[in-house]
Every structure is written in structure tokens, then in C-alpha cells.
Amino acid sequence: MNVGLYIHIPFCRSKCSYCDFNAYAGMRSLYEPYTHALKYQISNLKSQAADFRPPISELVAETIYFGGGTPSLLPLPLLAEILAACRDTFLVPGDAEISLEANPGTVDAVYLNGLRALGVNRLSLGVQSAHQAELDFLKRGHSFQDAIEAVHLARAAGFDSLNIDLIYGIPRQTMAMWQETVDRTLELAPDHVSMYCLTVEERTTLALWVRRGKSPQPDDDLAADMVLWANERLAADGLTRYEISNWARSINFQCRHNLVYWRNAPYLGFGAGAHSSFEGRRFWNVEHPREYVRRIEEGQSAVADLEVIGRELEMGETMMLGLRLTEGVTFSRFEQRFGVAMSEIYAQELRELGEQGLIEVDVAGVRLTRRGWLLGNRVFAVFLPGPTADD
């Protein structure tokens, strides 16, 4: 049985203005104890999950993803210990995709060569913008020149699968500024590009700025125009959109780990706040890294809570996640998984969404239309079960 592994590294040099991820600055002293806690949770999963079918020792970890936070802050020897624990616990094939997120300015030639020596074969750089004013507004802590240097060093180290993250819809960002960011990014010849629309999340510095009138709200209409333009620009450069926010030069450069999520396949998460979905259950760890370490050191479970995923919810999430992909959800894959035709379960939903021009249906399956890409959340909500009277 194949499974994706997610390793959460919650440490940052500073917190970005828009970030509501489970990330913390100023915790360098926790790097080593946190790594030991991670190793323990990974290595002891066998004994903690004796009722898993198939046994943990027979699970094939086709992808390992280090996310954050800023995983590139973790010293190489500690990353080596974590990967060793993964390989000791799971079957990790030689062609497994092993990804690590990094920020420009946090990596040098020695570090990148060290990552390759450990088996990390996919690098994701959080570039976000080519404009220093925007990077300062986002509190990124790096320059675009840092990004250029990181790309060149990564290529020299042998990374032939390189992603660049960008953000659009930044307050006061003009179309011309966004176009320059995209153009300068494409000059770096990335194999994969992820583009995310900036949203104002509660409990972030950006939300405080908006409330106090120090920053305008992002312009949703302009943001929609930005992603439509970017899709055409990336296509002209040889990058194909395969998911709402992701483009790849070929199928070989698609993020295999994220495809695990979008296809609603099983994955296991380790570290503070990490989520897992396995054998009809969704469970997640305590969020704060200090509490995570304390629980592990005291022999307690790091799991904060668990949810049983019923059949109706599993079907709805399979539709919601799969429709993020340009391939959509195929009738054959749905019926193979659930033993029932999609049309029997969602006949009314498919008809109504089709009449609204949000999805298209053919003999193979169902997928979003061009209009549906812009109104995806409206489509996804249709397939999720509503609250019950007991909720």
C-alpha cells in the first residue's frame, strides 16, 4: 500500500505578515529536541498503530515532504536523522519523491549539496515576488537576487526538479508588477510553479493592518485577472496547469506528494500540528512544538484529536479534492473506489453545476470549466455533507 509522508518543521527566522501556518520564530534551541521527538514518533508508529492494515512495515512511502515553517533552517545532520527514521520505518523506494521547502537566503552551496546527498530530489523555493517593496510588505526577509542565487546554486547541486512559489493579489500590486514577477521568474526556468492568491487570514499581521486601515483589502477582481493572464503566460513558456494553483513543464515534474492529497489517498503526518488520513480516520498532532516535544518526551501520544471519515464524507472529499485537478474525477476511479457510479450519488449536483457552466461532463468524468476555476469554492461546497442536527 502506498502512502505519502509529511514532516512538519515549524521554525522560521521571522513570521511573514500574511502567514497563519503553524510556524514560530525564535525557537532555535528547540531544533534538536524537536528532531528527536519527530524521530521517536516516526520510529514508534509501528507499536502505536498495531491495528493498521496493512502493517506499517509494509507501507511504501512513495513521497516524503518537508513543509513548514522553513525546513531549510534545520541543520543537515538533523534532517539526516529524520530521513533515516523514515527509511527504517517505511519502505522508501529509490525513486521516491523527497521534497523540501526552502526560503531564498537560507541555503548555500554546501547545504544544497548536502540535501542532494541525503536523497532530497525536489526543492520548493518560496520566492513570492520579484519586487522588494512587496517582499518587505510580506515580511519575507529576502530579496529577489537571493532567489536568483538560490536557483543557480540548486541547479549546480543537481536539483533537476525545482518549484517556485509566487503570491498574487497583494494589496497595491498592479497588473504590471505581477507580470514582471512572472516574467522574471520564468527567466529562471523553473520546472514547476505554484501561484497562490493572497487571502487575509485572522490572527495575522496583515489582518491587523487591514483592520487599522494601514493596508487595503486585496482586490479580488484584479486577482482573478492576474491568474488568468498568468495561465496564458506560463502556457506560452511550456508550463501546463494541472491543478488550480500549480503548473508543471511535464507530468514528470508534477508534485507527486500533493497529488496524494488531491486524489484523497492515504498520508501520514509527523510533527507539531501535522495531519494524517489513513484507514478511514483523520487525526492530527498538538500544534505547539513545545507541547509536541513535551508529550513525546513524557511518553504520551502527540495526537490531539481524531475524526472517523464516513462513506458520505469520503465521497464528498474525493470529489472536492479531485476537482482541483485539471483531469478532474474520472467515473472509473470513483466507481472502483466506492463500488457505485458517480451519477447515482451526485446526479442532481452534476446537472445543476453543469447548467451553471461550472463543470463539464464527458464519457471519462467531470472537471471544472474555465469559469469553474474562478469559482471553485462554490463547486466544492456542493459535494461536502452539511451539518447535522447534532452538530
Side-chain angles (χ1 to χ4, degrees), residues 135-169:
L135 292 171
D136 291 343
F137 176 83
L138 298 172
K139 292 187 176 293
R140 289 296 300 165
H142 65 81
S143 67
F144 189 70
Q145 183 59 39
D146 291 331
I148 294 172
E149 292 173 3
V151 168
H152 292 160
L153 291 173
R155 294 304 196 191
F159 279 97
D160 55 9
S161 184
L162 176 68
N163 171 65
I164 289 180
D165 279 354
L166 299 177
I167 292 178
Y168 63 94

Side-chain angles (χ1 to χ4, degrees), residues 386-391:
T388 66
D390 296 329
D391 290 341

